[in-house]
Amino acid sequence: MDFKELERLINLDAFTTDKAGVDRNGAVYAQWLQPLGFEVERYQRELIGDHLMFRSERRPGARLLLLGHLDTGSPAHYSPRFTEDDGWVYGPGVCDMKGGNYVAVCALRNLHEQRGRIANVDLLLVSDAEGGSGDSHSLTAALAREYDSCLVFAAAGSRHEVVTGRQGVAAYVIRLSGRSFQAGSLYTQHTNATETAGWLASALIALSDPERGSCVSVARIGEDGVAAKVLPEVELLVEVRYSSIPERERLLGEFSELLDSSNLRLVDIEISGGIQRDVMAPDMEQADWLEQIEEWLGYPLKTERRTATSDANIVAAEGVPTLDGFGPHGDGEHTRKERARKASFVRRIDEVTRILQAFDDQSELVEESRKWLEKDSLTH
Ligand SMILES: [Zn+2]
């Protein structure tokens, strides 16, 4: 295959905060997908790129959501242009996630070429995934509920693994307000916000349980100050990562117990934040979806779990069977060395094409039996 179209995409900057750049990328997908019969639903945004939902024709039967993102994690000034050699393509987004989106587009084109139309398969491309999907989160969650299953186009593993699990992440800002005073006095009264924050930070970090895949980390932000003066306020940035729902419950439960501790009674506490992307954990429905795909392909797929989150977390949290990693294999995401393997594009496009064909055959069957039942009820 040639990579001219991908080159065009890669050379359009699309850092999350570059609205014009992200929208220019979105326009390319619209130009490619409208001729295949997709309607574009545009969720306009002022400060970030528009989120785009590409909808195909509706029929009775199961619905499949394909999910990617328009933005990249590399600012324009930082990014090299597209290059290629015999084995690899290079450039910002070649695997995360312009390359993955391109796999989806090529597979949809193949399906359209074979069937002359596409039904019940939609593609959602959000504009802010690299910024944590703060804006698109609720949109993705709401749209996801319309679907029976989902494929996400993050990079494949090095042996073409698909991703069955991703950690959940919750993030908080805790502001502790004590009293300001000259160093050397009042040390027994626990009104010292710095001292209290130190105690709280180590208690929070101690909730980590690496064996169960949980990690709590704390970054402290204080104002500029001098050691001779105790600052009245300290802010803690807290990030909680977990690999299962029981661990989420344990961590958040113990977290709120800590905040009730008597050690904190003499300072004021303000807390904001919450779950950013909930855990994606393997379950029965996902296992069935994977088994169905393996049956369609005729061979098993290797699987892996990752610590990093993606928008797959959001869809999976809505109870939709979700598999991630359907993009090409690559590495160096968000760095100058981002690259993706050419052969991997060929493999993934072939696989996703066959998945879409089999999915379409299945909904064709549903459609035929519906028509047959209708006819049957008319003749009786
Ligand atoms: Zn990324």
Side-chain angles (χ1 to χ4, degrees):
M1 69 181 278
D2 86 61
F3 290 87
K4 286 278 163 269
E5 285 185 325
L6 185 67
E7 175 173 4
R8 178 181 169 202
L9 274 183
I10 298 304
N11 288 341
L12 289 175
D13 291 320
F15 190 47
T16 316
T17 52
D18 175 5
K19 173 172 171 62
V22 174
D23 284 343
R24 270 194 293 275
N25 267 271
V28 175
Y29 295 101
Q31 200 183 72
W32 287 343
L33 292 170
Q34 279 168 321
L36 308 184
F38 283 91
E39 302 271 347
V40 190
E41 221 169 75
R42 178 179 298 275
Y43 295 86
Q44 286 186 330
R45 296 293 183 266
E46 263 176 42
L47 302 175
I48 56 169
D50 298 343
H51 310 301
L52 301 179
M53 178 68 166
F54 296 93
R55 288 193 186 269
S56 66
E57 181 193 320
R58 275 283 165 276
R59 296 178 155 220
R63 292 176 182 184
L64 172 61
L65 177 66
L66 309 180
L67 179 61
H69 63 80
L70 294 167
D71 58 327
T72 60
S74 317
H77 68 267
Y78 172 97
S79 306
R81 305 283 92 183
F82 177 91
T83 52
E84 59 182 311
D85 57 28
D86 286 349
W88 300 83
V89 287
Y90 305 83
V94 280
C95 63
D96 180 20
M97 196 183 249
K98 290 173 173 179
N101 302 337
Y102 190 61
V103 166
V105 168
C106 292
L108 287 166
R109 279 178 180 157
N110 290 342
L111 182 69
H112 187 263
E113 197 177 315
Q114 286 151 2
R115 308 279 154 112
R117 53 114 194 87
I118 297 175
N120 288 8
V121 180
D122 301 337
L123 173 65
L124 173 62
L125 297 176
V126 302
S127 69
D128 63 341
E130 295 296 357
S133 299
D135 183 86
S136 61
H137 192 130
S138 56
L139 174 70
T140 301
L143 291 173
R145 290 177 216 129
E146 298 174 26
Y147 296 87
D148 299 276
S149 49
C150 177
L151 298 179
V152 186
F153 289 84
S158 58
R159 295 176 307 154
H160 280 96
E161 289 87 347
V162 294
V163 181
T164 54
R166 287 182 175 275
Q167 282 189 328
V169 176
Y172 302 89
V173 178
I174 303 175
R175 174 167 277 263
L176 302 167
S177 309
R179 281 170 55 190
S180 175
F181 50 87
Q182 201 178 7
S185 55
L186 292 172
Y187 262 105
T188 54
Q189 295 184 18
H190 293 293
T191 56
N192 180 337
T194 310
E195 182 198 8
T196 311
W199 172 81
L200 183 59
S202 42
L204 284 167
I205 290 165
L207 300 180
S208 304
D209 186 341
E211 272 177 28
R212 291 191 209 152
S214 302
C215 175
V216 181
S217 50
V218 179
R220 183 186 149 255
I221 302 180
E223 302 159 54
D224 287 339
V226 290
K229 184 189 164 203
V230 172
L231 294 171
E233 286 185 342
V234 174
E235 249 180 21
L236 296 178
L237 295 187
V238 181
E239 193 199 67
V240 181
R241 288 182 177 264
Y242 49 92
S243 300
S244 68
I245 289 167
E247 268 301 276
R248 178 190 71 197
E249 296 306 300
R250 177 186 73 82
L251 287 163
L252 299 190
E254 293 190 32
F255 186 6
S256 63
E257 272 173 38
L258 276 178
L259 294 177
D260 283 339
S261 157
S262 61
N263 283 349
L264 300 180
R265 72 182 189 283
L266 291 174
V267 295
D268 290 329
I269 302 177
E270 258 175 73
I271 177 161
S272 59
I275 291 174
Q276 278 182 337
R277 286 182 175 132
D278 206 355
V279 64
M280 168 177 167
D283 62 17
M284 289 297 293
E285 286 74 23
Q286 187 201 57
D288 289 346
W289 176 218
L290 179 62
E291 201 183 297
Q292 172 75 86
I293 287 175
E294 290 175 334
E295 200 179 293
W296 288 339
L297 293 176
Y299 52 82
L301 290 170
K302 293 188 177 70
T303 62
E304 68 182 18
R305 297 194 196 194
R306 293 188 189 161
T307 51
T309 61
S310 84
D311 289 337
N313 293 63
I314 300 170
V315 179
E318 294 305 314
V320 181
T322 301
L323 292 165
D324 196 354
F326 279 87
H329 163 62
D331 53 30
E333 291 99 323
H334 308 180
T335 73
R336 289 164 194 274
K337 294 194 174 142
E338 183 168 347
R339 60 178 188 165
R341 203 185 283 279
K342 284 181 168 177
S344 181
F345 277 90
V346 176
R347 172 172 169 166
R348 278 299 196 237
I349 292 167
D350 169 64
E351 285 175 340
V352 178
T353 300
R354 287 190 290 135
I355 292 168
L356 295 182
Q357 284 168 342
F359 178 83
D360 191 62
D361 289 341
Q362 202 183 45
S363 62
E364 192 94 297
L365 278 177
V366 173
E367 175 71 358
E368 270 169 31
S369 64
R370 188 188 62 88
K371 284 187 181 152
W372 188 84
L373 279 171
E374 250 179 34
K375 216 165 66 188
D376 199 46
S377 67
L378 284 175
T379 51
H380 286 89

